[in-house]
PDB file of all heavy atoms in Angstrom:
ATOM      1  N   TYR A 372      18.305  88.790  75.242  1.00 98.00           N
ATOM      2  CA  TYR A 372      19.336  87.951  75.713  1.00 98.00           C
ATOM      3  C   TYR A 372      19.095  87.210  77.080  1.00 98.00           C
ATOM      4  O   TYR A 372      19.219  86.168  77.228  1.00 98.00           O
ATOM      5  CB  TYR A 372      20.740  88.687  75.622  1.00 98.00           C
ATOM      6  CG  TYR A 372      21.872  87.851  76.113  1.00 98.00           C
ATOM      7  CD1 TYR A 372      22.268  86.754  75.339  1.00 98.00           C
ATOM      8  CD2 TYR A 372      22.439  87.990  77.373  1.00 98.00           C
ATOM      9  CE1 TYR A 372      23.312  85.923  75.771  1.00 98.00           C
ATOM     10  CE2 TYR A 372      23.474  87.110  77.834  1.00 98.00           C
ATOM     11  CZ  TYR A 372      23.904  86.156  76.995  1.00 98.00           C
ATOM     12  OH  TYR A 372      24.882  85.239  77.458  1.00 98.00           O
ATOM     13  N   LEU A 373      18.638  88.223  77.984  1.00 98.00           N
ATOM     14  CA  LEU A 373      18.414  87.632  79.386  1.00 98.00           C
ATOM     15  C   LEU A 373      17.252  86.589  79.400  1.00 98.00           C
ATOM     16  O   LEU A 373      17.402  85.397  80.045  1.00 98.00           O
ATOM     17  CB  LEU A 373      17.989  88.639  80.301  1.00 98.00           C
ATOM     18  CG  LEU A 373      19.102  89.722  80.641  1.00 98.00           C
ATOM     19  CD1 LEU A 373      18.467  90.895  81.516  1.00 98.00           C
ATOM     20  CD2 LEU A 373      20.204  89.108  81.298  1.00 98.00           C
ATOM     21  N   ALA A 374      16.239  86.767  78.528  1.00 98.00           N
ATOM     22  CA  ALA A 374      15.164  85.841  78.598  1.00 98.00           C
ATOM     23  C   ALA A 374      15.461  84.511  77.948  1.00 98.00           C
ATOM     24  O   ALA A 374      14.987  83.472  78.342  1.00 98.00           O
ATOM     25  CB  ALA A 374      13.859  86.507  77.917  1.00 98.00           C
ATOM     26  N   GLY A 375      16.263  84.519  76.794  1.00 97.00           N
ATOM     27  CA  GLY A 375      16.397  83.252  76.127  1.00 97.00           C
ATOM     28  C   GLY A 375      17.786  83.148  75.403  1.00 97.00           C
ATOM     29  O   GLY A 375      17.869  82.188  74.655  1.00 97.00           O
ATOM     30  N   GLY A 376      18.813  83.983  75.694  1.00 98.00           N
ATOM     31  CA  GLY A 376      20.027  83.733  75.057  1.00 98.00           C
ATOM     32  C   GLY A 376      20.033  84.220  73.532  1.00 98.00           C
ATOM     33  O   GLY A 376      20.900  83.713  72.742  1.00 98.00           O
ATOM     34  N   VAL A 377      19.004  85.005  73.263  1.00 98.00           N
ATOM     35  CA  VAL A 377      18.884  85.399  71.746  1.00 98.00           C
ATOM     36  C   VAL A 377      19.602  86.779  71.702  1.00 98.00           C
ATOM     37  O   VAL A 377      19.369  87.708  72.484  1.00 98.00           O
ATOM     38  CB  VAL A 377      17.375  85.574  71.398  1.00 98.00           C
ATOM     39  CG1 VAL A 377      17.128  86.079  70.018  1.00 98.00           C
ATOM     40  CG2 VAL A 377      16.647  84.210  71.526  1.00 98.00           C
ATOM     41  N   ARG A 378      20.339  86.916  70.593  1.00 98.00           N
ATOM     42  CA  ARG A 378      21.102  88.134  70.364  1.00 98.00           C
ATOM     43  C   ARG A 378      20.630  88.931  69.180  1.00 98.00           C
ATOM     44  O   ARG A 378      20.673  88.375  68.067  1.00 98.00           O
ATOM     45  CB  ARG A 378      22.605  87.906  70.299  1.00 98.00           C
ATOM     46  CG  ARG A 378      23.423  89.134  70.007  1.00 98.00           C
ATOM     47  CD  ARG A 378      24.845  89.055  70.406  1.00 98.00           C
ATOM     48  NE  ARG A 378      25.633  88.116  69.626  1.00 98.00           N
ATOM     49  CZ  ARG A 378      27.001  88.025  69.618  1.00 98.00           C
ATOM     50  NH1 ARG A 378      27.678  88.708  70.487  1.00 98.00           N
ATOM     51  NH2 ARG A 378      27.698  87.189  68.805  1.00 98.00           N
ATOM     52  N   GLY A 379      20.142  90.102  69.270  1.00 98.00           N
ATOM     53  CA  GLY A 379      19.770  90.942  68.087  1.00 98.00           C
ATOM     54  C   GLY A 379      20.671  92.124  68.144  1.00 98.00           C
ATOM     55  O   GLY A 379      21.643  92.125  68.873  1.00 98.00           O
ATOM     56  N   VAL A 380      20.429  93.139  67.394  1.00 97.00           N
ATOM     57  CA  VAL A 380      21.136  94.358  67.350  1.00 97.00           C
ATOM     58  C   VAL A 380      20.417  95.678  67.339  1.00 97.00           C
ATOM     59  O   VAL A 380      19.350  95.643  66.627  1.00 97.00           O
ATOM     60  CB  VAL A 380      22.163  94.345  66.244  1.00 97.00           C
ATOM     61  CG1 VAL A 380      21.504  94.663  64.870  1.00 97.00           C
ATOM     62  CG2 VAL A 380      23.273  95.423  66.412  1.00 97.00           C
ATOM     63  N   GLU A 381      20.782  96.568  68.091  1.00 96.00           N
ATOM     64  CA  GLU A 381      20.071  97.870  68.171  1.00 96.00           C
ATOM     65  C   GLU A 381      20.364  98.710  66.883  1.00 96.00           C
ATOM     66  O   GLU A 381      21.587  98.809  66.444  1.00 96.00           O
ATOM     67  CB  GLU A 381      20.606  98.637  69.457  1.00 96.00           C
ATOM     68  CG  GLU A 381      19.708  99.937  69.707  1.00 96.00           C
ATOM     69  CD  GLU A 381      20.292 101.276  69.297  1.00 96.00           C
ATOM     70  OE1 GLU A 381      21.127 101.377  68.424  1.00 96.00           O
ATOM     71  OE2 GLU A 381      19.806 102.249  69.777  1.00 96.00           O
ATOM     72  N   ILE A 382      19.365  99.206  66.315  1.00 94.00           N
ATOM     73  CA  ILE A 382      19.452 100.245  65.102  1.00 94.00           C
ATOM     74  C   ILE A 382      18.715 101.330  65.567  1.00 94.00           C
ATOM     75  O   ILE A 382      17.503 101.388  65.176  1.00 94.00           O
ATOM     76  CB  ILE A 382      19.067  99.494  63.807  1.00 94.00           C
ATOM     77  CG1 ILE A 382      20.048  98.322  63.463  1.00 94.00           C
ATOM     78  CG2 ILE A 382      19.259 100.647  62.685  1.00 94.00           C
ATOM     79  CD1 ILE A 382      20.011  97.881  61.995  1.00 94.00           C
ATOM     80  N   GLY A 383      19.260 102.172  66.358  1.00 94.00           N
ATOM     81  CA  GLY A 383      18.445 103.355  66.864  1.00 94.00           C
ATOM     82  C   GLY A 383      19.517 104.352  67.367  1.00 94.00           C
ATOM     83  O   GLY A 383      20.463 104.623  66.616  1.00 94.00           O
ATOM     84  N   SER A 384      19.217 104.963  68.568  1.00 95.00           N
ATOM     85  CA  SER A 384      19.991 106.119  68.886  1.00 95.00           C
ATOM     86  C   SER A 384      21.364 105.772  69.453  1.00 95.00           C
ATOM     87  O   SER A 384      22.331 106.509  69.509  1.00 95.00           O
ATOM     88  CB  SER A 384      19.339 106.892  70.104  1.00 95.00           C
ATOM     89  OG  SER A 384      18.157 107.520  69.398  1.00 95.00           O
TER      90      SER A 384
END
Side-chain angles (χ1 to χ4, degrees):
Y372 177 70
L373 291 176
V377 175
R378 176 158 72 168
V380 73
E381 193 256 21
I382 299 194
S384 291

